[in-house]
Amino acid sequence: MYQGSCLCGSITYELSSEPVKVSHCHCKMCQKQHGAAFATYARVPVKDLVYTSGTENLSIYNSSATVARKFCKVCGSSLEWNAGASLPEWTSITLASLDTPYQPENIIDLCTETRVSWFPNNGSG
Ligand SMILES: [Zn+2]
Ligand SMILES: [Zn+2]
């Protein structure tokens, strides 16, 4: 059993199975939503992800017709990426929202054609 939460702590969830795939997504939408070089998501069965508190603060942004990005409307934490009817049995959680330690065996990189130029840091600092 894994547990996770948003930054302000109002939204908590439990995950009752192991993630099946972990990826760094370098697409522009993930960069914008996370304000970061990439977003790291773990794919999990929809049925095994249960929100245990704070669902009144869970907001959804549809970044495309089928994709729902769920986040906390209080603190802005990104929590879930869901492809809706095009992938009905699966969803993805943001790996960094987990509170339980988890070490993926490997992480794949997606959408690397839009990878930012500044990560990893190639400067002199
Ligand atoms: Zn929050
Ligand atoms: Zn992405």
Side-chain angles (χ1 to χ4, degrees):
M1 177 77 81
Y2 294 97
Q3 292 175 319
S5 61
C6 64
L7 174 60
C8 75
S10 80
I11 299 174
T12 57
Y13 65 82
E14 289 182 345
L15 173 64
S16 58
S17 64
E18 291 283 321
V20 296
K21 186 174 93 172
V22 178
S23 57
H24 294 317
C25 185
H26 299 261
C27 83
K28 275 290 177 192
M29 288 187 281
C30 285
Q31 289 169 0
K32 288 283 188 188
Q33 191 200 2
H34 292 251
F38 53 85
T40 306
Y41 284 104
R43 182 172 289 186
V44 301
V46 165
K47 64 178 175 50
D48 293 339
L49 176 68
V50 176
Y51 286 96
T52 46
S53 72
T55 50
E56 70 277 11
N57 291 327
L58 196 61
S59 197
I60 297 175
Y61 173 66
N62 293 105
S63 57
S64 61
T66 57
V67 170
R69 293 170 181 268
K70 299 184 185 178
F71 61 97
C72 175
K73 69 181 181 187
V74 176
C75 67
S77 286
S78 180
L79 294 169
E80 186 182 345
W81 184 101
N82 186 289
S86 65
L87 201 65
E89 292 175 7
W90 298 95
T91 193
S92 293
I93 57 160
T94 51
L95 197 58
S97 67
L98 276 181
D99 296 313
T100 309
Y102 169 68
Q103 180 60 53
E105 281 180 24
N106 67 315
I107 301 180
I108 58 173
D109 288 280
L110 302 176
C111 303
T112 53
E113 63 280 5
T114 49
R115 189 191 286 264
V116 298
S117 61
W118 41 265
F119 183 87
N121 183 6
N122 294 319
S124 58

